[in-house]
């Protein structure tokens, strides 16, 4: 499966970025995923997220690897929009440092986002 590693931290910190990347890389190796790309954002910069969304829309990704659920969507509405993007692309989110979100929660977020205007 093709995986994309996406990391983000609130303020610039190479240690935090490196820790997140290593957690995701280890998970990819354990699951035998092929890492086809990576992106990182600091603070409110979201160019890495834009790259991730571009890859999702091109249907190049099967798995998104992050350390926690707040990485791709720091708010419930932003996470709902990302859940919808993942659903439309047929991709899954794998969080490496916390339990996976139950599919029912992701389904509710996707349905919410598909009815709400994009943020």
């Amino acid at each position: 499966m093709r995986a994309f590693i996406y990391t983000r931290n609130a303020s610039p910190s190479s240690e935090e970025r490196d820790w997140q990347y290593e957690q995701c890389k280890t998970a990819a190796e354990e699951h035998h995923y092929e890492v086809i790309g990576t992106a990182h954002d600091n603070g409110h910069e979201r160019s890495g997220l834009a790259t991730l969304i571009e890859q999702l829309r091109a249907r190049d990704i099967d798995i998104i690897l992050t350390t926690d659920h707040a990485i791709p969507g720091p708010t419930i509405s932003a996470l709902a929009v990302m859940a919808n993007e993942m659903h439309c692309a047929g991709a899954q989110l794998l969080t490496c440092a916390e339990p996976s979100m139950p599919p029912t929660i992701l389904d509710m977020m996707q349905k919410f986002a598909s009815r709400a205007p994009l943020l």
Side-chain angles (χ1 to χ4, degrees):
M1 295 189 96
R2 300 163 300 167
F4 189 95
I5 295 174
Y6 177 61
T7 58
R8 181 181 62 82
N9 36 305
S11 58
S13 167
S14 60
E15 294 85 16
E16 177 67 16
R17 181 190 66 230
D18 293 345
W19 177 83
Q20 288 181 37
Y21 177 79
E22 287 302 320
Q23 293 290 311
C24 293
K25 181 180 170 204
T26 298
E29 290 169 355
E30 288 172 358
H31 291 88
H32 306 287
Y33 296 149
E34 174 191 4
V35 177
I36 60 143
T38 65
H40 177 79
D41 286 325
N42 284 314
H44 296 292
E45 173 198 342
R46 301 301 265 177
S47 61
L49 183 63
T51 300
L52 169 58
I53 291 170
E54 181 180 302
Q55 294 293 307
L56 279 170
R57 290 179 178 170
R59 298 192 184 270
D60 290 339
I61 300 172
D62 301 305
I63 301 290
I64 300 166
L65 295 166
T66 66
T67 52
D68 65 70
H69 299 104
I71 300 295
T75 65
I76 293 294
S77 58
L79 186 55
V81 170
M82 282 305 298
N84 189 51
E85 289 284 349
M86 290 183 286
H87 173 78
C88 291
Q92 298 175 344
L93 176 66
L94 176 63
T95 53
C96 307
E98 67 182 31
S100 296
M101 191 177 295
T104 54
I105 300 294
L106 286 171
D107 288 346
M108 286 188 300
M109 288 185 168
Q110 183 271 324
K111 288 176 183 162
F112 168 77
S114 67
R115 290 178 175 79
L118 289 178
L119 304 175

